Amino acid sequence: MLEGKGVRAVTVMWVMAFLSFVMVPLRLYTRIYVNRAVGLDDHVFTLAWVFLFLYTIFVTIAGHHGFGQPLDSLPVDEAVNAVYNEIVGQTFAVLGMAIAKISLGIFLLRIVVKKWHRISIWISMVSLALVSVMTAILLWAQKSPIRATYDPRVQGRLVVAITPFSILLGSWCAAVDFYFALLPWIFIWQLNMRFAEKISIACSLSLGFIACVCGIIRTIDLSGLGSANYTEDTVGLIIWSAVELAVTLICVGVPTIRPLYRAIVHGSRPESSDRRYVKHSESDHSARFRMRAIIPDASLFTTVRDGTTESYIAPDDRSGNQILPGHDPCPSDGIRVREEVRVERV
């Protein structure tokens, strides 16, 4: 029966799973019907939520076997089942957190321009994936034989202490959250647009600061991993892991549904995008790329590739300042304008 602290933990986890699930259909709807472009980051985002869902299911099963109650108060078979299912759930949580942050990294790769931005994002994603997979493996391989990890009746020896690796993962997750939240303020500030729009877009892309705080709190609760009273002392860790994963999904999902919000609030008729944007080249000298919309009542997004300027005019964005392209920035009902770049030293 679900009793003790397990009731609170399971309740919080299902609430977090539901709140984050709201972002899944909203994001897919925005990508399919508003942006008309579904990318790899959308599939990775959905996969991360599936891992959160599986995490919640296995912890719920563990709760019915005694998770949240003192370990010495449980029958041996129930205690073994509780610890086993809890570790299975933690495996999905460890991998799910990395997958959610990788989803944001892939999204950022689609909108950054400078080479060092892309390299730093790739380093963050690959390193986080390696640490996450390593921690997930050590959850099961910390003792030999593996069954000794969750069954006290099996004699085994300690292979490696899991707590230091869990602290490393928690710290690295928080660091990646912080960097991914900080990066938009760097490259968005180089765009020539109204100050209020810069703040709005940068803030929507920087909600990861909230996930960073959750990750720090979760890391502090990692002491329960080495406790003899595993089923009760890990409740805080289980809750904050679910909160961090759910908050990460919500923070990652909010910027991607911004076009849907603008379409609902402002309607489908776009305003004129007769504006100029300035981007900086990857060299030490700045290069100014000027592109003027020649079609009224359309929104403009400009990218620079191989010495040419490619502008994508999307008829369904009212803002005139869309800077977040989909996987194929030029929708089927949009117009692509392509012209040579004129470089001016400034």
Coordinates of all heavy atoms in Angstrom, one line a residue, residues 54 91 100 123 127 137 155 163 183 225 281 300 338:
L54 N 7.8 7.3 -17.5 CA 8.3 6.0 -17.1 C 8.8 6.1 -15.7 O 8.6 5.2 -14.8 CB 9.3 5.4 -18.0 CG 8.7 5.0 -19.4 CD1 9.9 4.6 -20.3 CD2 7.7 3.9 -19.3
T91 N 16.9 5.4 -13.1 CA 17.6 5.3 -14.3 C 17.0 6.1 -15.4 O 17.6 6.8 -16.2 CB 17.7 3.8 -14.8 OG1 18.3 3.0 -13.7 CG2 18.5 3.6 -16.0
A100 N 16.4 15.9 -22.1 CA 15.6 17.1 -22.1 C 16.6 18.3 -22.4 O 16.2 19.2 -23.2 CB 14.9 17.3 -20.8
I123 N 29.8 20.6 -27.2 CA 30.6 20.1 -26.1 C 29.7 19.9 -24.9 O 29.8 18.8 -24.1 CB 31.7 21.1 -25.7 CG1 32.7 21.1 -26.8 CG2 32.3 20.7 -24.4 CD1 33.8 22.1 -26.6
S127 N 29.2 16.0 -23.5 CA 29.7 15.7 -22.1 C 28.6 15.4 -21.2 O 28.7 14.4 -20.4 CB 30.5 16.9 -21.6 OG 29.6 18.1 -21.6
I137 N 24.7 3.6 -15.7 CA 25.3 2.3 -15.6 C 25.7 2.0 -14.2 O 25.5 0.9 -13.7 CB 26.5 2.2 -16.6 CG1 26.0 2.3 -18.0 CG2 27.3 1.0 -16.4 CD1 27.1 2.4 -19.1
Q155 N 24.9 -11.5 -0.8 CA 26.3 -11.0 -0.4 C 27.0 -10.5 -1.6 O 27.1 -11.1 -2.7 CB 27.1 -12.1 0.2 CG 26.5 -12.6 1.5 CD 26.5 -11.6 2.6 OE1 27.4 -10.8 2.7 NE2 25.4 -11.6 3.4
T163 N 27.5 7.9 -5.1 CA 27.3 9.3 -4.7 C 28.1 10.3 -5.4 O 27.6 11.3 -5.9 CB 27.4 9.4 -3.1 OG1 26.5 8.5 -2.5 CG2 27.0 10.9 -2.7
L183 N 23.4 31.7 -22.9 CA 23.8 31.9 -24.3 C 22.8 32.8 -25.1 O 23.3 33.6 -25.9 CB 23.9 30.5 -24.9 CG 24.5 30.5 -26.4 CD1 25.8 31.1 -26.4 CD2 24.5 29.0 -26.9
L225 N 21.4 8.6 -1.1 CA 21.7 7.5 -1.9 C 22.6 6.5 -1.1 O 22.5 5.3 -1.4 CB 22.5 7.9 -3.2 CG 21.7 8.6 -4.3 CD1 22.7 9.1 -5.4 CD2 20.7 7.6 -4.9
S281 N 29.8 38.7 -38.3 CA 30.4 37.6 -38.8 C 31.2 36.8 -37.8 O 31.4 37.3 -36.7 CB 31.3 38.0 -40.0 OG 32.4 38.7 -39.5
L300 N 9.9 38.5 -41.7 CA 11.2 38.3 -42.4 C 12.2 37.6 -41.4 O 12.3 38.0 -40.3 CB 11.8 39.6 -42.8 CG 13.2 39.5 -43.4 CD1 13.2 38.7 -44.7 CD2 13.8 40.9 -43.7
R338 N 16.6 35.4 -52.1 CA 18.0 35.0 -52.1 C 18.8 36.1 -52.8 O 18.4 36.4 -54.0 CB 18.2 33.7 -52.6 CG 19.6 33.1 -52.5 CD 19.7 31.8 -53.1 NE 21.1 31.2 -53.0 CZ 21.5 30.4 -52.0 NH1 20.6 30.1 -51.0 NH2 22.7 30.0 -52.0

